[in-house]
Amino acid sequence: MDEHAALSMTPDRTKLARSAALASIAVAAVLVALKTWASWRTGSTAMLGSLADSALDLVASLATLTGVWIAAMPADEDHRFGHGKAEALAAIFQVMLIGLSAFGIAIRAIMQLAGQRETAAAEEGIAVSLIAIALTFALLARQRYVMNRTRSLAIQTDHLHYKSDLFLNLSVIAALALDQYAGLGVVDPLFGLAIAAWLAFGAWRGASEAVDDLMDREWPEEKRLAFVEAAAKHPELSNLHDLRTRTSGNRDFVQFHVDLPPIMTIEEAHDIIERVEADLCRQFPGMELLIHIDPEGHIDEPGNPLVEENEFAKLEKDS
């Protein structure tokens, strides 16, 4: 097991990930305060869109922390599969807020286009955007440090979002400068509409991921293939079929049927499956695995390829 994989299973991983999440919350809180003041001073729709994005960053970080905290709770009598779907529920909440914000900004931009309301205090708005860029660079550096040591998917997602925020702040600077220095009054509301569209796209993408989680969507094909390849390295197994995969929060769940000789004793079969489970769980940390043994030649559901198709045979065919 490599150093990163080992660390991902220790308390240090939790501390590092929590520190990155708290840093994200702190930066978002500062930016919300600054951009609230800048929106009031400039009257810019683009700045308002940037404020909405930072406010959503703050709410999203808080909701994600809550969802991750609940998802990390161990399984109990009422939730035997754990609480992983709490993250998807938190994401749905975030998507609703993002959608409402995008709609409000679009309405504001359309009204500004109709009324041609001018912006003001470009210097102050630009200064706030430059501060936002500097704070975002500092946060990105901290996130990269944590990502290299934890491989946290949550931090990776947050990192991508804040990278896009750099372009958002640059667009606000461009909107204010073109509006007040070049006299292009139509630019600010157009940038506001573009930001609203960007937020709406983010909401759609977030909703898709949350729905996939809640609907127990299968793993991506490349990950599923990697799992079958890992299982195929055990020559004791044959005819791996009825493979089912899903992800819930920070946990993966996998189950499949495999054929073993009918003359094998229960103890022999048990020892083989124990070794296979230990190896696969080592290669796929955070996974719960259930293996069902069939006697060779047994057919569960004749004519149903979802159940009976041999994953090992597909692997040989593709190669």
Side-chain angles (χ1 to χ4, degrees), residues 103 128 134 174 185 190 284 312:
F103 179 75
V128 166
L190 289 179
F284 294 84
F312 291 159

Side-chain angles (χ1 to χ4, degrees), residues 8-9 18 24 28 35 46 58 63 69 86 116 118 130 136 148 154-155 157 171 197 199 213 228 262 309 312:
S8 69
M9 300 167 65
R18 186 181 298 134
S24 178
K35 291 179 182 180
L58 178 58
W69 173 69
Q116 288 295 307
E118 297 181 355
L130 289 174
T136 301
N148 289 336
I155 302 303
T157 303
S171 73
L199 288 172
D213 194 309
V228 175
E309 190 167 20
F312 291 159

Side-chain angles (χ1 to χ4, degrees), residues 246-280:
R246 68 183 179 94
T247 298
S248 180
N250 61 352
R251 301 288 295 175
D252 286 331
F253 294 85
V254 179
Q255 64 184 64
F256 61 82
H257 289 215
V258 69
D259 286 2
L260 289 178
I263 61 172
M264 186 176 288
T265 66
I266 294 176
E267 184 176 5
E268 291 172 334
H270 175 269
D271 290 343
I272 290 173
I273 296 304
E274 283 282 297
R275 290 197 301 271
V276 171
E277 286 181 343
D279 178 61
L280 292 176

